[in-house]
């Protein structure tokens, strides 16, 4: 039996070992570091099934008043590890672009750090999903954000990437300021930073509800930035388009999932305040409409996926507004599978032709495998039955109907129809347009394996979603 | 502390803080920021938080600002040329800031404990530094350790992003 905190320690030690190897073993091929990291992270992932139980949250003190290893956090630790592994596989495919963007006389400059920093991000995500104290939430959120600052502007010689890096830095710092200010208000009223004790303090009728609500709204601003909810979404299209593609994938899956876990945890004490639910319903409606409508005219696939990421945040917020944790979690799992699959295809195709949707013309002839993978990803993102995306939306809408959130259901269903248009535009380009370039795109074994696994997982969960639901209920 | 001193230092902070944003010359902005930090340090002192007040002067007004000035001089930054002001955007920004301000005043106005006076804090047996050290290395040890990792990542990132490659 492994004590739960040793998982993150293992990941952190791994990150430092990789950094040391990068610095002192100059001769080795830097891609070996990535393979070693993937192997080690898989070992940690397997380790999550052999965890010792942790003490109950209610009377926890010291270490356990910051950190919890409840089923939700263990599930999302696996989620973070899996995302990091898949992103690293994508990064190996993306390595030529990174090398081309850093002019140097030495071989493979900067590649080692490109593989090492995601390990620290992963540790940050794992801490974040376990955090049950505002101070710890803030610190681990900053670990995630600061490593993303570096990753987003990694290929900084490209002006678009530099712009993305600066935008992300400035707006993210602003959102952090809101988070800290919100936390001070909540601390000022309740005198606590631990979520469990805040719940207890807010249950006291003598407590002042107004300032607590104000603090929570400020915290919501910061988390809205992380999950890309309207009106905190301004940064998303430019940053997603400018950042290196694997980093975009990481940002849209890892950062968003952790944001939603924190949102679910932080909202729990405040649910007794009726204004909170109305606010989240409003944000969900705006996010759904903005994300889906703005995605319609896009011609760049990376930008399209950015708007689609906003749209999916909207569907997830429906689940949050109904406070249905399992539905949100299932949706996030489906979102991980389909988003990472589409970005994995994008990384490979973008190096051959480009990121525009027209660059995917005739992909079915150039590489039937990549085209099929993209077809599954797009079908799942749109929510076609027999894919994981369908059940994700189904559970969310089911929860909304059960809670009688009519407005959310109506707007949700209409925007799903919008989604069909822009996702299937990509499918149309791949299968019905003549190829602009005649070549065969080769895919290396590891990526082919990862993509096949993602395709199988999407279809499997689309037919038989029980295993994930079982894992959540435990 | 007398309320006059509070208002003096608070106004000092606000005025010089605004000057940081308004000034087009980076050195003038940086020096304004120093004065603003000094005002903040004085406010901390007035709340009997001597350690934080001194750290504010030493670290922020001292070390960080010297670093800022060095960077400004090394990069040889000139005064920014005044761009045409986008009035719609500025008005929008002012409106949002005012809305936040009104909201804060509303919330504070409805607080019952903002209207009552409290007895002065009891003197602590041990000094500030000792207290903060006990908290940091005792109860808040875990976040403190994670900050170590955070600083490591920030250092790597800073080196990585500012390194000039030999061609």
């Amino acid at each position: 039996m492994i004590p739960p905190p040793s998982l993150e320690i293992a990941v952190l030690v791994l990150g430092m070992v990789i950094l040391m190897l990068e610095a002192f073993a100059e001769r080795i091929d830097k891609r070996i570091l990535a393979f070693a990291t993937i192997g080690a992270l898989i070992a940690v992932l397997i380790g999550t099934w052999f965890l010792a139980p942790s003490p109950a949250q209610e009377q926890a003190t010291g270490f356990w008043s910051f950190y919890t290893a409840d089923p939700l956090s263990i599930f999302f630790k696996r989620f973070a590890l899996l995302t990091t592994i898949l992103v690293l596989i994508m990064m190996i495919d993306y390595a030529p672009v990174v090398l081309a963007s850093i002019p140097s006389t030495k071989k493979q400059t900067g590649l080692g750090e490109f593989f090492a920093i995601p390990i620290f991000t992963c540790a940050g995500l794992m801490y974040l999903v376990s955090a049950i104290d505002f101070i710890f939430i803030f610190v681990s959120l900053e670990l995630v954000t600061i490593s993303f600052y570096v990753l987003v502007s990694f290929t900084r010689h490209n002006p678009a990437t530099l712009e993305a890096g600066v935008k992300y830095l400035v707006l993210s710092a602003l959102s952090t300021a809101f988070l800290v200010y919100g936390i001070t208000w909540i601390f000022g009223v309740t005198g606590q930073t631990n979520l469990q004790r805040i719940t207890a303090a807010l249950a006291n009728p003598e407590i002042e509800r107004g300032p607590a609500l104000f603090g929570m709204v400020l915290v919501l601003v910061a988390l809205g930035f992380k999950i890309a909810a309207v009106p905190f979404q301004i940064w998303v299209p430019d940053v997603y388009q400018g950042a290196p593609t694997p980093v975009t994938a990481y940002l849209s899956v890892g950062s968003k999932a952790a944001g939603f876990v924190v949102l679910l945890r932080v909202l729990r004490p405040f649910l007794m305040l009726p204004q909170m639910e109305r606010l989240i319903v409003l944000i969900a409606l705006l996010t759904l409409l903005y994300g889906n409508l703005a995605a319609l005219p896009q011609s760049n696939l990376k930008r399209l996926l950015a708007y689609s990421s906003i749209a999916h945040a909207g569907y997830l917020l429906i689940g949050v507004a109904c406070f249905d944790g399992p539905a949100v979690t299932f949706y996030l799992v489906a979102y991980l599978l389909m988003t990472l699959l589409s970005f994995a295809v994008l990384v490979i195709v973008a190096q051959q032709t480009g990121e525009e949707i027209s660059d995917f013309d005739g992909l079915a002839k150039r590489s039937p495998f990549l085209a099929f993978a993209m077809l599954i990803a797009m079908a799942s993102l749109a929510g076609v039955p027999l894919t994981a995306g369908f059940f994700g939306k189904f559970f969310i809408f089911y929860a909304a109907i059960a809670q009688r959130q009519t407005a959310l259901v109506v707007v949700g269903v209409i925007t799903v129809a919008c989604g069909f248009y822009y996702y299937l535009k990509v499918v149309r380009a791949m299968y019905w347009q003549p190829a602009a370039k005649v070549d065969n795109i080769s895919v290396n074994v590891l990526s082919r394996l990862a993509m096949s696994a993602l395709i199988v997982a999407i279809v499997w969960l689309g037919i038989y979603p029980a295993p994930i639901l079982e894992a959540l209920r435990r | 502390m007398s309320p006059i001193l509070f208002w003096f230092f608070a106004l000092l902070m606000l005025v010089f803080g605004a000057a940081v944003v308004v000034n087009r010359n980076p050195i003038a902005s940086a020096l304004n920021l120093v004065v603003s930090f000094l005002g903040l340090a004085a406010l901390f002192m007035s709340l009997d938080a001597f350690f934080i007040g001194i750290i504010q002067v030493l670290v922020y007004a001292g070390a960080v600002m010297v670093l800022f000035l060095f960077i400004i001089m090394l990069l040889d930054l000139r005064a920014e040329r005044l761009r045409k002001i986008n009035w719609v955007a500025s008005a929008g920004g002012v409106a949002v800031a005012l809305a936040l301000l009104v909201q804060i005043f509303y919330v504070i106005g409805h607080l019952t404990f903002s209207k009552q006076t409290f007895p002065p804090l009891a003197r602590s047996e041990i000094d500030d530094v000792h207290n903060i050290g006990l908290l940091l290395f005792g109860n808040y040890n875990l976040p403190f350790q994670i900050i170590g990792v955070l600083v490591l990542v920030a250092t790597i990132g800073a080196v990585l992003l500012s390194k000039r490659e030999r061609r």
Side-chain angles (χ1 to χ4, degrees), chain A residues 126-452:
Chain A
M126 288 166 77
Y127 276 125
L128 192 53
V129 297
S130 274
I132 48 167
D133 185 290
F134 266 122
I135 292 187
F136 196 45
I137 288 175
F138 172 66
V139 170
S140 39
L141 196 66
E142 278 309 280
L143 178 57
V144 173
T145 315
I146 286 192
S147 51
F148 267 124
Y149 292 156
V150 183
L151 285 173
V152 166
S153 41
F154 205 91
T155 53
R156 67 182 194 284
H157 293 276
N158 177 351
T161 307
L162 194 60
E163 187 197 330
V166 171
K167 275 191 180 155
Y168 187 63
L169 175 72
V170 172
L171 289 175
S172 187
L174 185 68
S175 86
T176 303
F178 274 103
L179 179 67
V180 179
Y181 193 42
I183 292 173
T184 52
W185 272 95
I186 294 170
F187 177 72
V189 180
T190 60
Q192 303 289 349
T193 53
N194 180 291
L195 293 175
Q196 204 73 46
R197 282 182 233 138
I198 288 176
T199 315
L202 282 177
N204 180 357
E206 280 177 24
I207 207 100
E208 309 251 6
R209 296 282 176 82
L213 193 66
F214 182 61
M216 187 55 216
V217 169
L218 293 173
V219 170
L220 204 60
V221 170
L223 292 176
F225 175 87
K226 292 283 172 256
I227 61 174
V230 176
F232 319 109
Q233 87 302 352
I234 297 290
W235 60 285
V236 174
D238 289 340
V239 173
Y240 276 35
Q241 194 180 359
T245 313
V247 177
T248 310
Y250 206 7
L251 202 58
S252 76
V253 178
S255 183
K256 191 183 289 258
F260 270 102
V261 176
V262 175
L263 191 61
L264 283 178
R265 279 202 201 284
V266 167
L267 275 179
R268 198 178 297 256
F270 293 89
L271 278 183
M272 57 191 87
L273 309 176
Q275 298 94 326
M276 220 59 233
E277 192 196 319
R278 263 177 272 153
L279 190 65
I280 291 185
V281 168
L282 181 68
I283 293 177
L285 285 176
L286 287 175
T287 310
L288 280 173
L289 287 173
Y290 180 88
N292 282 297
L293 294 180
L296 288 176
Q298 301 305 323
S299 63
N300 180 303
L301 184 58
K302 234 166 141 183
R303 217 173 165 80
L304 175 74
L305 285 172
Y307 283 110
S308 123
S309 153
I310 300 176
H312 285 287
Y315 297 117
L316 284 159
L317 278 171
I318 297 180
V320 173
C322 306
F323 214 75
D324 191 336
V328 171
T329 313
F330 187 86
Y331 198 98
L332 280 170
V333 172
Y335 179 75
L336 170 140
L337 298 170
M338 55 212 192
T339 309
L340 287 183
L341 184 58
S342 55
F343 274 109
V345 177
L346 177 63
V347 166
I348 296 169
V349 175
Q351 287 180 49
Q352 304 292 330
T353 35
E355 291 168 358
E356 298 293 317
I357 293 179
S358 57
D359 292 322
F360 280 72
D361 285 354
L363 187 69
K365 292 201 184 63
R366 292 163 65 199
S367 169
F369 175 71
L370 286 180
F372 180 68
M374 200 60 159
L375 171 70
I376 296 289
M378 288 298 149
S380 183
L381 282 168
V384 175
L386 299 184
T387 59
F390 170 75
F391 269 116
K393 289 203 171 73
F394 176 79
F395 291 134
I396 292 276
F397 287 143
Y398 186 77
I401 291 169
Q403 301 261 334
R404 304 189 189 286
Q405 298 278 11
T406 325
L408 284 176
V409 176
V410 170
V411 173
V413 171
I414 292 171
T415 52
V416 166
C418 282
F420 270 91
Y421 169 75
Y422 58 81
Y423 290 125
L424 296 184
K425 210 158 69 170
V426 181
V427 176
R428 176 169 156 269
M430 290 190 302
Y431 283 92
W432 279 280
Q433 301 286 1
K437 196 173 156 191
V438 184
D439 58 348
N440 277 318
I441 303 174
S442 64
V443 184
N444 70 36
V445 182
L446 191 59
S447 305
R448 198 176 274 268
L449 202 68
M451 280 189 225
S452 310

Side-chain angles (χ1 to χ4, degrees), chain A residues 19 66 103 127 154 156 208 211, chain B residues 111-112 139 156 161 163 165:
Chain A
L19 277 178
F66 293 100
Y127 276 125
F154 205 91
R156 67 182 194 284
E208 309 251 6
Chain B
L111 275 181
T112 45
N139 195 22
I156 297 167
L161 293 181
K163 192 169 62 175
E165 294 298 338

Side-chain angles (χ1 to χ4, degrees), chain B residues 18-62:
Chain B
V20 175
V21 183
V22 173
N23 257 307
R24 292 289 127 186
N25 186 338
I27 295 190
S29 282
L31 292 175
N32 279 316
L33 196 57
V34 174
V35 183
S36 181
F37 281 152
L38 289 177
L40 185 60
L43 288 183
F44 275 128
M45 302 261 190
S46 75
L47 293 170
D48 281 358
F50 295 106
F51 181 73
I52 302 178
I54 287 168
I55 288 296
Q56 186 75 28
V57 174
L58 282 182
V59 176
Y60 283 87

Side-chain angles (χ1 to χ4, degrees), chain A residues 11-20 23 113 116-117 119-121 123 142-143 146-147 150, chain B residues 144-161:
Chain A
V11 173
L12 286 176
V13 169
L14 171 71
M16 287 174 207
V17 168
I18 296 291
L19 277 178
M20 284 294 160
E113 288 92 344
I117 294 175
I119 309 174
F120 292 103
T121 318
E142 278 309 280
L143 178 57
I146 286 192
S147 51
V150 183
Chain B
F144 187 66
Q145 303 284 341
I146 308 299
I147 285 181
V149 181
L150 192 155
V151 172
L152 173 74
V153 174
T155 316
I156 297 167
V159 172
L160 210 60
L161 293 181

